[in-house]
Amino acid sequence: MSHVPHELHEEFPEAIETLRALKAGDAHFSRLADEYHTINREVHRIETNVEPAADEVLEDLKKKRLHLKDQIAALLAAAANTAS
């Protein structure tokens, strides 16, 4: 398994401009993106053994990251629908 960080611009390459606009103009989105980034970095550090942790800790962080990604995806979809 490759241990590649899951950055938002890589997860949503088609929405890079929307990501930037929402992060700059929507405090809630910005908070979600910042939290995603923090958890994502922690997952990456654990997966690359920079910061070892128990499997349960890693799985919990991955679930949190996925939940945040789902929320971010919903906000991106809503923004795309209002822009259309």
Side-chain angles (χ1 to χ4, degrees):
M1 171 193 293
S2 67
H3 301 293
V4 180
H6 296 264
E7 301 297 336
L8 287 175
H9 67 276
E10 295 166 341
E11 295 291 326
F12 303 104
E14 72 289 348
I16 291 175
E17 290 305 317
T18 306
L19 282 166
R20 287 184 187 137
L22 286 173
K23 190 154 185 187
D26 183 324
H28 176 66
F29 184 89
S30 182
R31 183 188 61 75
L32 290 175
D34 288 346
E35 188 175 349
Y36 178 92
H37 179 73
T38 299
I39 290 173
N40 188 50
R41 284 283 156 210
E42 194 170 346
V43 167
H44 183 65
R45 290 175 62 79
I46 292 169
E47 288 181 336
T48 57
N49 292 318
V50 171
E51 190 175 300
D55 290 344
E56 298 81 19
V57 172
L58 179 59
E59 290 307 311
D60 185 48
L61 287 170
K62 285 182 175 183
K63 288 176 185 176
K64 288 178 184 176
R65 180 177 67 182
L66 182 59
H67 181 67
L68 288 166
K69 182 179 170 187
D70 288 344
Q71 292 178 60
I72 289 167
L75 291 171
L76 288 171
N81 286 339
T82 58
S84 299

